[in-house]
Amino acid sequence: MNYKLFDVIVIGSGIGGLVTATQLAAKGAKVLVLESYLIPGGSAGYFQHQGYTFDVGASMIFGLGKKGTTNLLTRALESVNVSLESIADPVQIHYHLPNNLDIKVDQNYEKFLQNLTSYFPHEKKGIRHFYDECQKVFNYLNSFELLSLEEPGYLLRVFLQHPLACLGLAKYLPLNVGDLAKRYIQDPLLLKFIDIECYCWSVVPAAMTPMINAGMVFSDRHYGGVNYPKGGVGKIAQKLVEGLEKTGGKIQYQAKVTKILTEQGQAVGVQLANGKVYHGKRIVSNATRWDTFEKLLPSEKIPTNEKNWQQKYQKSPSFLSLHLGVKASVLQAATECHHILLEDWQKMELAEGTIFVSIPTLLDPDLAPKGYHIIHAFTPHWIADWQGLTPSEYENKKEQAAGRIIERLEKIFPGLDAGLDYLEVGTPLTNRRFLGRIDGTYGPIPRRKLWGLLGMPFNRTAIPGLYCVGDSTFPGQGLNAVAFSGFACAHRIAVDLGL
């Protein structure tokens, strides 16, 4: 490495970390990204086996649209002069729910409202009012550039340019989806549907899901749409790294940071597992806030506001994942790419209650050998259920869990078991090991009902010189959300460094 002192050191190359790094490198900062694994991307990474290219995490991608300001992944790539071909998905999710609810969320907004109204004709007005209100939130967000809410100059500028949008958004900041849904909708079954609409990306029901996030997700799917990156989700991180290096930034793999170094209470550098030390004017952690403050810093130095945050938020479950290669004949014509399967509303939030399915080869056939498809099925699971097992008990438990999930998937994909060509099972232990996330968690969820997004921490921390980015900062989980976090973090640091 040429630099003795970097402007910015980023710990981890998840999408939040890479967006922070590329935005700052594009502004001329000397940036170093340190990644403990062999490839970038974290939960948005990939792995290859027997001719299959599997996405590590979900493949329902927002933010790769072509218009507006909320297409943050497209904007992040363009900032460093790289681009990525993507394939539009005409249906966001096909829900297979209790009470014979078989509902498709079409990209066409009116078509989706019709699909839903056909099940709940008596709630026609309420359905439109509720989803129109979500559109309102999205339109406010989509009217200005999304940067750091911690930077007074930006807030003033945005307010002067878009006063009505700012006042409109402020109204929704303390609200959760459940608060709004109940204003317009009475039918308990329809309210359950709104719950799963939230749960499938926030891992909590509507009462706990911030309205700002829902406005983004429920509306962008009909605006920028859900788009799949050609070559797999891993391409997003690869392209960001290409852009980072083009603009003079550096990334180092197999560089496991074990310690954030402080002097007189200020973050000044990092130490790797091999003892190597790098110094930086600003340090950014793309690890979870638990990993950042309990592992990378001495635990007696956990700031009070981080302890307070941990009182409000807890670790969401991790996931049990099945990566399947199946004969193409298993899938019927007109099968959609993304599915959610739930047979019992009471089990929605339990381990193995809800099964999430994506079949990316329906959009990009090149990810599997000819005549085969990829099915990625995953379901929430807690790490405690997988600890303390002998190797044979662990393998046996994986096999049994896979059997249960495949049996349930047979209801929507008859002949799945017989058509299996490849099976890889990942557990919360796998997620912890390869993604370096405490307990393999998907991210933070509220411990109790909070005021919308107002409890989420921003990028700055109580330790001068140390910033956090990713899903444990505002606005939370999901690729487009962590990209927003990256834009905000880079903007705040750029102002702090006078770039």
Side-chain angles (χ1 to χ4, degrees):
M1 295 280 169
N2 306 340
Y3 309 128
K4 286 198 171 63
L5 176 68
F6 289 90
D7 290 320
V8 183
I9 295 173
V10 180
I11 304 165
S13 68
I15 297 299
L18 285 176
V19 170
T20 306
T22 46
Q23 287 293 302
L24 287 164
K27 291 178 168 74
K30 295 174 183 174
V31 180
L32 171 65
V33 178
L34 297 167
E35 169 54 53
S36 61
Y37 194 47
L38 305 162
I39 56 166
S43 307
Y46 70 97
F47 67 96
Q48 292 172 312
H49 233 279
Q50 294 178 15
Y52 294 97
T53 299
F54 292 105
D55 297 324
V56 168
S59 55
M60 191 195 299
I61 308 300
F62 292 89
L64 281 174
K66 298 282 184 278
K67 53 185 182 172
T69 62
T70 56
N71 53 345
L72 295 169
L73 294 171
T74 301
R75 283 179 48 212
L77 293 162
E78 284 173 351
S79 301
V80 282
N81 300 315
V82 289
S83 62
L84 183 57
E85 190 186 335
S86 64
I87 305 145
D89 188 353
V91 169
Q92 185 217 5
I93 297 180
H94 184 176
Y95 286 106
H96 310 263
L97 302 173
N99 309 88
N100 296 316
L101 288 182
D102 188 272
I103 293 169
K104 292 186 182 185
V105 179
D106 204 277
Q107 182 176 355
N108 181 295
Y109 182 55
E110 292 301 326
K111 201 167 168 188
F112 162 59
L113 293 188
Q114 281 166 18
N115 291 348
L116 193 53
T117 304
S118 68
Y119 283 91
F120 302 98
H122 53 291
E123 288 279 18
K124 184 178 179 178
K125 264 189 181 164
I127 288 169
R128 175 158 306 270
H129 279 313
F130 170 71
Y131 284 102
D132 277 0
E133 192 121 6
C134 295
Q135 297 270 350
K136 219 185 271 183
V137 175
F138 177 76
N139 291 335
Y140 291 144
L141 285 166
N142 202 25
S143 64
F144 48 78
E145 196 180 2
L146 300 174
L147 292 170
S148 177
L149 303 185
E150 295 182 281
E151 207 280 281
Y154 161 74
L155 290 178
L156 180 64
R157 189 167 73 247
V158 165
F159 185 77
L160 293 174
Q161 289 168 348
H162 310 275
L164 295 177
C166 291
L167 293 169
L169 266 185
K171 185 179 85 174
Y172 292 102
L173 262 177
L175 282 182
N176 289 325
V177 179
D179 305 327
L180 199 76
K182 284 179 177 158
R183 277 185 207 169
Y184 299 118
I185 292 164
Q186 271 72 53
D187 189 309
L189 183 56
L190 180 51
L191 290 169
K192 289 275 187 211
F193 176 75
I194 307 274
D195 274 337
I196 190 107
E197 276 262 83
C198 292
Y199 184 78
C200 70
W201 48 271
S202 70
V203 210
V204 283
M208 313 270 271
T209 300
M211 194 56 212
I212 298 284
N213 295 40
M216 192 83 146
V217 175
F218 291 166
S219 308
D220 195 23
R221 61 192 183 185
H222 307 294
Y223 178 82
V226 173
N227 298 279
Y228 188 77
K230 180 116 182 76
V233 172
K235 287 281 179 212
I236 301 171
Q238 287 174 312
K239 284 286 185 184
L240 284 169
V241 167
E242 187 188 311
L244 175 71
E245 293 178 330
K246 262 190 193 175
T247 45
K250 296 172 185 290
I251 184 165
Q252 201 176 315
Y253 298 105
Q254 292 181 289
K256 185 173 174 59
V257 174
T258 51
K259 202 172 179 185
I260 293 169
L261 304 174
T262 58
E263 281 175 17
Q264 293 165 331
Q266 181 157 342
V268 294
V270 298
Q271 186 174 330
L272 304 188
N274 64 8
K276 192 146 195 184
V277 167
Y278 293 109
H279 286 97
K281 295 177 191 170
R282 297 291 186 274
I283 311 299
V284 178
S285 175
N286 192 191
T288 71
R289 286 185 104 98
W290 291 281
D291 288 299
T292 303
F293 289 97
E294 291 173 12
K295 292 185 179 174
L296 299 179
L297 284 158
S299 54
E300 69 273 7
K301 286 191 180 171
I302 299 180
T304 308
N305 64 340
E306 293 300 326
K307 289 179 184 164
N308 292 343
W309 177 76
Q310 291 185 16
Q311 298 290 307
K312 291 181 193 166
Y313 287 85
Q314 61 189 343
K315 298 188 267 295
S316 74
S318 184
F319 284 99
L320 177 82
S321 294
L322 270 58
H323 289 92
L324 312 170
V326 302
K327 288 177 182 165
S329 56
V330 169
L331 301 181
Q332 296 167 359
T335 300
E336 302 301 346
C337 179
H338 295 103
H339 301 257
I340 294 226
L341 173 64
L342 174 67
E343 299 92 341
D344 181 349
W345 289 115
Q346 301 300 314
K347 294 181 177 172
M348 182 180 86
E349 295 180 75
L350 302 182
E352 289 184 40
T354 304
I355 299 178
F356 304 76
V357 179
S358 52
I359 313 170
T361 40
L362 289 170
L363 299 172
D364 185 356
D366 296 344
L367 299 172
K370 201 168 174 56
Y372 291 88
H373 276 295
I374 283 169
I375 295 181
H376 178 198
F378 50 105
T379 185
H381 248 267
W382 299 94
I383 200 164
D385 297 333
W386 294 88
Q387 287 169 319
L389 303 173
T390 65
S392 63
E393 285 169 341
Y394 180 65
E395 288 307 317
N396 192 31
K397 191 175 168 84
K398 284 205 302 188
E399 202 175 303
Q400 287 176 352
R404 288 192 300 272
I405 288 164
I406 288 168
E407 191 180 329
R408 286 168 64 192
L409 290 176
E410 284 263 349
K411 294 170 199 162
I412 46 179
F413 309 120
L416 173 63
D417 198 16
L420 264 188
D421 171 59
Y422 179 86
L423 168 63
E424 181 87 46
V425 183
T427 71
L429 293 175
T430 319
N431 292 334
R432 184 177 68 182
R433 181 182 163 199
F434 288 104
L435 304 178
R437 296 178 67 87
I438 191 166
D439 298 344
T441 179
Y442 172 68
I445 53 174
R447 288 184 186 273
R448 57 184 183 278
K449 189 178 173 186
L450 297 173
W451 280 30
L453 270 183
L454 295 177
M456 281 297 270
F458 292 102
N459 302 108
R460 282 190 296 188
T461 71
I463 294 169
L466 176 64
Y467 303 74
C468 284
V469 73
D471 54 34
S472 29
T473 61
F474 178 93
Q477 290 101 339
L479 252 61
N480 213 27
V482 296
F484 182 174
S485 168
F487 272 100
C489 189
H491 175 220
R492 182 63 259 181
I493 292 171
V495 171
D496 291 347
L497 288 175
L499 293 175

